[in-house]
Amino acid sequence: MSASDQTADQDDASRINQEASSSSNTDNETSNPDNKEDEMKRAAARKLIERYFYQLTDGCGNPGCKNKYCASSGQLKPLTPDEAAAQAIQLFSQEARLCERHPNKIARTHNNKMMSSDSDSENSLNRNKNDVVMPINEVRLGDNPNFLKINTTNSSTYLTEQMLYEIIDECESTECYLSLIRKLGEVFSSIENLSRSFQQTDKSPTETDPDTTKGLKKEEVRSLEGEKDKDEDSSAETSDSAILPVDLPSVRRAYSALFKLKTSIFEHSLVNALVTLAGNLQMELPTRKERGNQDDVVNVLLIVFEIPALGSGDFLETALPAICRASEWLPVEVQAKLARIWSGPGRSSLRNILENLQQLVTLRVIVTQFHRDFYVQDENVITSATKLMKILFYANMLAGVLESPDLRNEELSVSMDDSYLAVKLNKTAPPVDPLAAELGVHVLDCRKPYLPFSEFYNEPLSDGVEMDRDFANYKSELGKFCFMHYPFILTPATKMMGLYFDNRIRMYSERRISILQSVTGQPSNPYLRLKVRRDHIIDDALVELEMISMENPNDLKKQLVVEFEGEQGIDEGGVSKEFFQLVIEEIFNPDYAMFTNQSEAGTVWFNPTSFESDAQFTLIGIVLGLAIYNNVILAVNFPMVLYRKLLGKRGSFEDLQDWNPTLYNSLKQLLEYNEPDVEEVFMQTFRISYQDVFGSIINYDLKEHGDEISVTQENKYEFVDLYADFLLNKSVEKQFRAFYKGFQMVVDESPLELLFRPEEIEVLICGSKNFDFDELENSTEYDGGYTNESQIIKDFWSTVHALSLEDKRKLLQFTTGSDRVPIGGLSRLKLVIARNGPDSDRLPTAHTCFNVLLLPEYSSKEKLKDRLIKAISYSKGFGML
């Protein structure tokens, strides 16, 4: 190469690096948030059209190509440039197939000819065999790295930690980063090259001890690796052996070294390479004939999702969406393998990957204009990111604390004469998720996830999704995307709307059937009507519900309408709320002895020695189901194990923690005691004792002749498991079976089990524990002349905020018919305060059916407080309509 040419090349390289180093400032000046989205779309479209153009004119370079829109297939007639351009645009609009370009193919630009490989061309260009054969301005513009042609004879087509260190050192010493850009483009744009990068070695320090190289300098890491990597590098390039797993610690160290450089140097090239990689994945995955070994795809995704900057800048806006769209085609086997790896050595990256996907979903929700013909469920990036997030959801469970799946495999046995419940249980088995089946895990198995489940909620998405449309997709047989199949990403309040739509549709369906029956002359009732006496509410409700459940159980799916005998009023929701409240108070009355109070935990549990009939417990189950079905919050205090049992998971030792903390701690001490004298210290046998309703002591042997078997180091775990199983399952089997039967009569066909986890069902039934009256004030509406600036309203809220928690509960009871906070917070109550005339001595009144408080315009704050306290303190059975 002549001196002048060499100087020119150095000047070009210097100019490239200067422009790369200053590109961050230029990016800040040109990245208008309003135009950036459109610019990215235009740039992506332009590159795709360009790829179609070269495919039509030059082909992909594969002599066996079968694509009729590719010049290499031989099926395409020669086209003029104008004809090729027009057809390229047409193919782009049709999303036609794109071939994967042959590695030896060089893409052309409008101002650059294809460079020949003959000796005359090389001599005329004065290039040596290791130079890059490409227009220099293509690197400066950050075009697709597949456009590079590398005429090297000894360079590897993959990347290792040591190789990256050497490239970075060379680039820093020469202040020319072309070789780094070239290598990143070559490796990260190819499935094969990237999948063979950063592989584990048999005796690598990172495999035997991940912390061996922690904190070491690059030179020290190289000295540890020695010459072994060089030997493996030279052999791996030509070897066809199976792909080895990715060395994740090595990947993280390599990225750490790379991102110490200015990201503007390599960001565009790396982003473009990832977009090309995603395109290759998207084309190859659906057409792969062999589904057996897909380790290359697993390795590719593991390496890509370790990129530190994946959730920011162009990575977030361009590269990550492309990778997510490609991941939609992952087979279940690959998804399962990713989940297992991310739950094992890769668990430290779970939060970072989740945050990146959450940022992507949130960004798309905010910047996308949705309308009646384009819903959130139609946005491809959001849906593909959600599908990818499901893999993380299962990885998060695998990385946490899991219980044996045997606890959920034992179904409730149904007697032959109980044919109704047998049909129900067989008919409504929830759909099995293919990934869950492949992994052999269920959400009920997870006692404690690696990351809290709440971190998977996306509130902007939950607020933006139209649940009526999502429910329609859920019911559709067209295979449309719906978030109800990915409930982990939705907040409980949003999922409750999905359940609400399901319940309402069933109610309307029952009404239509009743109308048809009335037309044919058959007796019909479109509502579930209960007429009860206040003084005999349990007996009356029990008789009526028992008759309905025997004669026509489907009537339980109708909308509930309650009438108190001797009282006027139309039930628009408020009377039903009062009915549920009174029933719950009576049922949990100690005089009935149906439940025992766990004073330490503040909960109630089935009384194993109760004399009440099964019908009584069935009634409680029906009431619980009707409350969910009619969107009513109940004042019940069951331990969490009940909700786990309702979803099909038997109680276990860990459930004792909130069921009876003292007993749990005692048994835990037994398990943690490792001395050989456990028999002398604890003096416990396999016989246990408990009290009945009269206080009499009852003995029970956990094993045959249990009083003769002492608890030892060898059998203490068996003792604890049998003890917990007896307390939570066997001792209350009869009572819970009846309770479960009543509950299933109402909710058996609803998507309750699909949408909610046990802790979410507790909030659904009992309401939130967050009494934030600031939320209530901000969401309250006013009527009759009141505004938020009215003096009486200011005095009202000043008075309310100063009340005790007990009085605030009474205020909620007075105005809404329930003292519980609905799921999603007090802002969802939609309280209305209406003017009820001028100053007077009347007390405030309320329409609990509509959450309306009728408030006279009192003359002073003191009078307002006096009348309000009297109204909420003496309102039970009076003042609420």
Side-chain angles (χ1 to χ4, degrees):
M1 179 183 294
S2 66
S4 59
D5 289 337
Q6 186 174 6
T7 304
D9 284 349
Q10 291 175 353
D11 291 341
D12 285 337
S14 177
R15 184 172 66 254
I16 293 168
N17 285 280
Q18 290 174 4
E19 290 181 12
S21 62
S22 62
S23 63
S24 58
N25 296 330
T26 307
D27 290 342
N28 293 333
E29 294 174 1
T30 59
S31 59
N32 187 335
D34 297 332
N35 300 326
K36 198 162 188 177
E37 183 79 10
D38 292 336
E39 291 177 0
M40 287 190 297
K41 290 180 179 178
R42 286 195 296 270
R46 187 165 54 247
K47 289 175 182 176
L48 280 175
I49 293 173
E50 186 178 15
R51 288 186 62 184
Y52 281 118
F53 178 81
Y54 292 138
Q55 181 175 288
L56 291 168
T57 56
D58 301 330
C60 64
N62 179 12
C65 180
K66 303 296 184 181
N67 187 357
K68 65 179 181 179
Y69 297 116
C70 178
S72 296
S73 67
Q75 305 177 38
L76 188 68
K77 67 176 183 178
L79 300 174
T80 65
D82 291 340
E83 291 174 339
Q87 189 165 354
I89 296 174
Q90 183 179 3
L91 294 177
F92 169 75
S93 63
Q94 297 173 350
E95 297 184 359
R97 176 189 167 192
L98 266 172
C99 296
E100 183 176 356
R101 286 168 295 197
H102 194 275
N104 293 328
K105 200 70 183 174
I106 307 172
R108 299 186 302 179
T109 61
H110 64 281
N111 60 354
N112 188 69
K113 302 279 187 180
M114 290 286 293
M115 295 186 178
S116 65
S117 59
D118 57 25
S119 58
D120 294 337
S121 298
E122 290 182 359
N123 292 335
S124 64
L125 290 172
N126 292 321
R127 303 284 188 182
N128 65 33
K129 63 181 179 180
N130 292 321
D131 284 337
V132 181
V133 185
M134 58 172 289
I136 195 67
N137 64 334
E138 285 187 22
V139 176
R140 187 168 63 250
L141 295 175
D143 277 353
N144 196 309
N146 265 12
F147 289 177
L148 309 181
K149 178 180 179 181
I150 305 175
N151 292 333
T152 57
T153 57
N154 56 0
S155 63
S156 301
T157 57
Y158 62 96
L159 195 61
T160 66
E161 180 183 359
Q162 182 181 2
M163 289 166 59
L164 183 63
Y165 289 158
E166 293 173 353
I167 295 173
I168 292 175
D169 288 345
E170 180 183 356
C171 292
E172 287 179 335
S173 63
T174 61
E175 297 185 357
C176 176
Y177 294 90
L178 281 175
S179 58
L180 175 63
I181 294 172
R182 182 191 310 131
K183 176 58 73 173
L184 293 178
E186 177 191 22
V187 172
F188 280 84
S189 62
S190 168
I191 299 175
E192 180 180 3
N193 294 348
L194 189 58
S195 66
R196 296 188 177 277
S197 300
F198 303 106
Q199 292 187 0
Q200 293 181 6
T201 57
D202 294 338
K203 297 181 180 181
S204 64
T206 58
E207 185 180 358
T208 56
D209 184 1
D211 296 327
T212 302
T213 58
K214 186 176 181 181
L216 298 182
K217 297 180 180 180
K218 292 180 286 187
E219 293 77 7
E220 295 171 327
V221 172
R222 295 189 193 110
S223 64
L224 283 173
E225 294 175 346
E227 297 299 322
K228 181 173 174 31
D229 281 343
K230 294 182 180 179
D231 298 337
E232 291 174 350
D233 290 351
S234 59
S235 61
E237 190 172 5
T238 58
S239 174
D240 293 330
S241 60
I243 296 176
L244 298 175
V246 170
D247 187 349
L248 288 176
S250 176
V251 173
R252 291 164 188 160
R253 291 192 301 269
Y255 280 139
S256 177
L258 177 64
F259 278 84
K260 287 180 181 179
L261 303 174
K262 292 182 179 180
T263 55
S264 57
I265 295 174
F266 59 86
E267 181 177 10
H268 290 307
S269 296
L270 184 55
V271 167
N272 289 331
L274 292 174
V275 171
T276 302
L277 175 71
N280 293 336
L281 286 170
Q282 201 164 358
M283 287 188 296
E284 184 171 333
L285 285 175
T287 58
R288 280 198 174 187
K289 296 180 179 179
E290 184 179 348
R291 292 289 180 181
N293 188 352
Q294 305 225 28
D295 291 343
D296 56 342
V297 177
V298 174
N299 283 6
V300 163
L301 293 178
L302 289 174
I303 295 172
V304 167
F305 280 102
E306 289 292 335
I307 297 177
L310 202 59
S312 61
D314 286 343
F315 290 99
L316 176 64
E317 297 179 2
T318 305
L320 186 55
I323 294 296
C324 289
R325 284 192 293 265
S327 300
E328 283 192 276
W329 299 97
L330 292 178
V332 175
E333 297 80 6
V334 176
Q335 296 179 36
K337 190 161 187 176
L338 278 173
R340 292 189 182 100
I341 294 176
W342 276 333
S343 66
R347 70 178 61 189
S348 59
S349 300
L350 274 177
R351 175 172 272 110
N352 185 53
I353 299 173
L354 177 61
E355 288 176 353
N356 291 340
L357 293 175
Q358 292 283 31
Q359 288 174 5
L360 176 61
V361 172
T362 301
L363 175 66
R364 290 289 174 159
V365 169
I366 293 174
V367 303
T368 306
Q369 296 296 324
F370 300 107
H371 48 79
R372 58 181 299 179
D373 296 322
F374 186 72
Y375 293 88
V376 180
Q377 295 88 341
D378 302 321
E379 218 289 339
N380 183 256
V381 173
I382 294 177
T383 58
S384 59
T386 302
K387 293 177 181 178
L388 193 55
M389 207 180 296
K390 185 176 75 170
I391 303 176
L392 292 177
F393 181 74
Y394 283 106
N396 185 51
M397 288 192 292
L398 292 174
V401 179
L402 293 177
E403 290 184 319
S404 171
D406 295 337
L407 292 173
R408 60 177 164 86
N409 289 339
E410 182 177 319
E411 298 181 357
L412 289 171
S413 59
V414 182
S415 59
M416 294 301 293
D417 59 342
D418 200 352
S419 58
Y420 171 76
L421 182 56
V423 172
K424 290 288 185 181
L425 293 178
N426 292 333
K427 184 174 67 175
T428 59
V432 178
D433 185 274
L435 180 56
E438 180 72 20
L439 292 170
V441 68
H442 191 278
V443 67
L444 291 175
D445 299 338
C446 186
R447 174 62 63 175
K448 183 180 180 181
Y450 181 71
L451 301 175
F453 283 129
S454 58
E455 293 195 18
F456 284 83
Y457 296 148
N458 189 292
E459 294 187 3
L461 173 66
S462 299
D463 294 338
V465 66
E466 300 285 347
M467 285 306 295
D468 56 346
R469 172 64 59 177
D470 201 71
F471 181 77
N473 290 351
Y474 168 72
K475 286 295 185 180
S476 173
E477 298 180 356
L478 301 177
K480 294 183 178 180
F481 180 91
C482 75
F483 287 101
M484 289 181 65
H485 287 301
Y486 302 86
F488 55 83
I489 200 173
L490 300 177
T491 60
T494 302
K495 288 187 283 191
M496 185 192 69
M497 292 303 300
L499 188 65
Y500 173 80
F501 283 119
D502 181 79
N503 296 341
R504 288 297 168 180
I505 288 175
R506 295 186 190 280
M507 291 179 184
Y508 296 150
S509 176
E510 293 297 329
R511 290 185 195 177
R512 288 195 296 270
I513 294 174
S514 296
I515 293 174
L516 292 175
Q517 289 175 343
S518 64
V519 171
T520 59
Q522 301 179 34
S524 64
N525 187 352
Y527 299 99
L528 172 61
R529 293 189 178 275
L530 297 180
K531 188 173 182 179
V532 296
R533 297 167 294 176
R534 283 186 180 271
D535 296 337
H536 303 83
I537 190 169
I538 294 295
D539 295 333
D540 292 349
L542 175 62
V543 170
E544 293 205 34
L545 290 175
E546 191 171 18
M547 291 292 294
I548 292 171
S549 62
M550 289 190 300
E551 294 178 359
N552 191 4
N554 283 331
D555 283 353
L556 295 172
K557 304 292 193 303
K558 298 177 180 178
Q559 183 176 348
L560 178 65
V561 175
V562 178
E563 178 184 348
F564 286 104
E565 190 174 283
E567 300 181 17
Q568 296 181 352
I570 299 176
D571 187 7
E572 293 289 343
V575 180
S576 297
K577 292 179 183 178
E578 188 177 5
F579 164 76
F580 281 112
Q581 177 191 355
L582 296 175
V583 168
I584 291 299
E585 287 180 357
E586 289 290 329
I587 285 176
F588 293 105
N589 189 323
D591 294 339
Y592 275 88
M594 295 177 66
F595 293 89
T596 59
N597 290 317
Q598 307 285 88
S599 56
E600 184 182 2
T603 58
V604 295
W605 188 245
F606 301 96
N607 184 355
T609 59
S610 173
F611 294 112
E612 297 295 335
S613 65
D614 290 354
Q616 295 276 17
F617 289 97
T618 301
L619 169 64
I620 303 173
I622 292 176
V623 168
L624 202 69
L626 286 175
I628 294 177
Y629 198 67
N630 291 271
N631 200 26
V632 176
I633 300 174
L634 299 180
V636 296
N637 294 301
F638 288 117
M640 184 59 64
V641 62
L642 176 81
Y643 305 106
R644 291 170 62 84
K645 286 171 71 69
L646 284 177
L647 292 182
K649 190 70 181 289
R650 298 167 62 242
S652 63
F653 166 66
E654 291 298 331
D655 290 309
L656 294 175
Q657 187 169 10
D658 66 330
W659 187 83
N660 190 328
T662 300
L663 176 62
Y664 173 80
N665 290 328
S666 299
L667 293 176
K668 192 173 182 181
Q669 288 179 1
L670 170 63
L671 295 178
E672 294 175 348
Y673 190 80
N674 296 320
E675 300 298 326
D677 58 346
V678 62
E679 299 179 46
E680 292 76 14
V681 172
F682 290 91
M683 294 185 294
Q684 178 65 52
T685 66
F686 274 73
R687 170 172 288 183
I688 60 171
S689 303
Y690 62 96
Q691 290 183 342
D692 62 9
V693 291
F694 302 107
S696 302
I697 301 298
I698 300 176
N699 294 322
Y700 178 81
D701 288 347
L702 299 176
K703 296 176 66 174
E704 188 176 357
H705 306 298
D707 59 327
E708 302 174 1
I709 305 174
S710 298
V711 176
T712 64
Q713 288 287 0
E714 289 74 22
N715 62 20
K716 63 181 181 181
Y717 286 97
E718 181 187 12
F719 168 78
V720 168
D721 289 339
L722 290 174
Y723 197 178
D725 182 56
F726 172 76
L727 293 175
L728 300 177
N729 303 310
K730 290 183 178 179
S731 65
V732 296
E733 184 176 4
K734 176 184 176 183
Q735 294 84 349
F736 178 76
R737 186 183 306 281
F739 174 85
Y740 181 78
K741 172 185 174 181
F743 183 76
Q744 284 293 323
M745 282 182 177
V746 185
V747 304
D748 59 333
E749 295 178 338
S750 76
L752 184 72
E753 294 184 29
L754 172 68
L755 294 176
F756 296 95
R757 299 189 304 274
E759 61 272 19
E760 294 174 327
I761 291 184
E762 181 187 30
V763 178
L764 181 67
I765 295 175
C766 304
S768 172
K769 299 179 181 179
N770 183 20
F771 286 83
D772 189 347
F773 273 71
D774 289 328
E775 284 187 6
L776 182 62
E777 180 180 359
N778 294 332
S779 64
T780 298
E781 299 176 358
Y782 305 96
D783 195 11
Y786 285 158
T787 68
N788 57 356
E789 295 298 326
S790 301
Q791 186 59 44
I792 183 71
I793 297 301
K794 293 181 179 179
D795 293 341
F796 172 81
W797 287 114
S798 175
T799 301
V800 168
H801 290 309
L803 294 176
S804 64
L805 179 58
E806 184 61 29
D807 285 339
K808 288 180 178 179
R809 285 182 178 273
K810 292 179 180 179
L811 175 62
L812 289 178
Q813 179 70 54
F814 178 75
T815 55
T816 68
S818 172
D819 64 350
R820 295 298 177 112
V821 179
I823 188 171
L826 286 174
S827 61
R828 296 188 176 266
L829 274 179
K830 303 301 179 185
L831 179 66
V832 177
I833 301 179
R835 187 176 185 273
N836 193 23
D839 180 34
S840 67
D841 291 332
R842 290 181 298 171
L843 295 176
T845 55
H847 295 293
T848 55
C849 299
F850 308 104
N851 298 343
V852 176
L853 174 64
L854 302 174
L855 187 67
E857 194 169 4
Y858 297 113
S859 57
S860 66
K861 181 178 180 180
E862 291 73 20
K863 188 174 183 179
L864 166 67
K865 181 178 180 180
D866 176 72
R867 299 296 187 271
L868 184 63
I869 294 297
K870 288 180 179 179
I872 65 177
S873 299
Y874 307 104
S875 63
K876 184 169 293 188
F878 171 78
M880 297 181 289
L881 303 177

